[in-house]
Amino acid sequence: DAGITQSPRHKVTETGTPVTLRCHQTENHRYMYWYRQDPGHGLRLIHYSYGVKDTDKGEVSDGYSVSRSKTEDFLLTLESATSSQTSVYFCAISETAFNYGYTFGSGTRLTVV
Amino acid sequence: QQQVKQSPQSLIVQKGGISIINCAYENTAFDYFPWYQQFPGKGPALLIAIRPDVSEKKEGRFTISFNKSAKQFSLHIMDSQPGDSATYFCAASFTGKSTFGDGTTLTVKP
């Protein structure tokens, strides 16, 4: 999607290893979000950021951490990957927190074996 | 507790027909209600959105109807086309954080 890229697009990792997913935006939007998408569960918020070094937890944050040292980059780290974290991860950006929809990236498909 | 309930889970409509997807929410603090469209292998894309002080919003063939007292809103796709076949998600937002429904897979048969 224009203005927001996620890397890698696909990753297979072993249980117990740390994994970092990257979201990069060129829109200079203040708000960034990480969601996971699983069949039958829609999209669930993991963590979000409302500015550089300002982050907060979402509804499914256990086992995940985030960092945002620059406006354009939002990193999601699985501290010790588990099979339950096999999912498709989407990053989203938003210009404001009010009356504004998200622009989503293309997603990272993560498989933990 | 699921805060946004979406139905049906799947929907099959003939070309030219009307597709209707419904959502219900719990939290009256939600103040923005977007709908997203997702094609396989892609991220969701914002389709149309509404604020709770408006009862209906129309953009082309897509209409949101909003019932604040019932805490329900719905997406209507008029003159449905095979290209509309996708998964649709409703969402409800507060302070920028969106809670999503589980999605509806729409298939439009030619």
Side-chain angles (χ1 to χ4, degrees), chain A residues 31 33 35 45 48 50 56-57 94 96-102, chain B residues 3-4 25-34 36 50 52 91-100:
Chain A
Y31 297 87
Y33 309 84
Y35 281 84
L45 181 63
Y48 63 101
Y50 42 92
D56 207 346
K57 297 178 179 180
S94 179
T96 77
F98 303 98
N99 300 328
Y100 210 85
Y102 294 166
Chain B
Q3 293 200 59
V4 179
Y25 63 97
E26 301 284 336
N27 188 349
T28 56
F30 289 134
D31 57 10
Y32 183 71
F33 299 87
Y36 292 86
I50 198 168
S93 300
F94 177 63
T95 61
K97 294 178 291 180
S98 287
T99 300
F100 287 81

Side-chain angles (χ1 to χ4, degrees), chain A residues 87-106:
Chain A
S87 187
V88 180
Y89 291 86
F90 285 101
C91 176
I93 60 175
S94 179
E95 186 170 2
T96 77
F98 303 98
N99 300 328
Y100 210 85
Y102 294 166
T103 299
F104 281 89
S106 298

Side-chain angles (χ1 to χ4, degrees), chain A residues 22-41:
Chain A
R22 182 185 184 227
C23 178
H24 178 78
Q25 59 139 333
T26 58
E27 304 296 320
N28 201 35
H29 284 350
R30 176 180 175 186
Y31 297 87
M32 298 186 75
Y33 309 84
W34 277 107
Y35 281 84
R36 60 178 289 174
Q37 183 175 36
D38 304 289
H41 288 280

Side-chain angles (χ1 to χ4, degrees), chain A residues 79-91:
Chain A
E79 294 143 7
S80 177
T82 68
S83 58
S84 65
Q85 294 175 313
T86 292
S87 187
V88 180
Y89 291 86
F90 285 101
C91 176

Side-chain angles (χ1 to χ4, degrees), chain B residues 3-101:
Chain B
Q3 293 200 59
V4 179
K5 294 184 179 180
Q6 184 172 346
S7 64
Q9 187 174 14
S10 62
L11 181 61
I12 300 174
V13 174
Q14 291 294 128
K15 179 182 176 181
I18 302 173
S19 304
I20 302 174
I21 304 170
N22 301 297
C23 284
Y25 63 97
E26 301 284 336
N27 188 349
T28 56
F30 289 134
D31 57 10
Y32 183 71
F33 299 87
W35 285 87
Y36 292 86
Q37 179 188 56
Q38 184 180 31
F39 293 104
K42 303 292 186 183
L46 181 65
L47 187 62
I48 187 173
I50 198 168
R51 295 194 335 246
D53 55 348
V54 177
S55 61
E56 185 175 285
K57 183 175 182 180
K58 183 177 181 179
E59 291 184 2
R61 296 184 294 110
F62 300 90
T63 299
I64 300 178
S65 297
F66 189 85
N67 186 330
K68 188 174 182 178
S69 61
K71 294 188 287 185
Q72 295 175 347
F73 58 110
S74 60
L75 176 69
H76 296 234
I77 306 174
M78 312 299 288
D79 187 27
S80 298
Q81 300 296 312
D84 296 331
S85 297
T87 300
Y88 293 82
F89 292 95
C90 64
S93 300
F94 177 63
T95 61
K97 294 178 291 180
S98 287
T99 300
F100 287 81

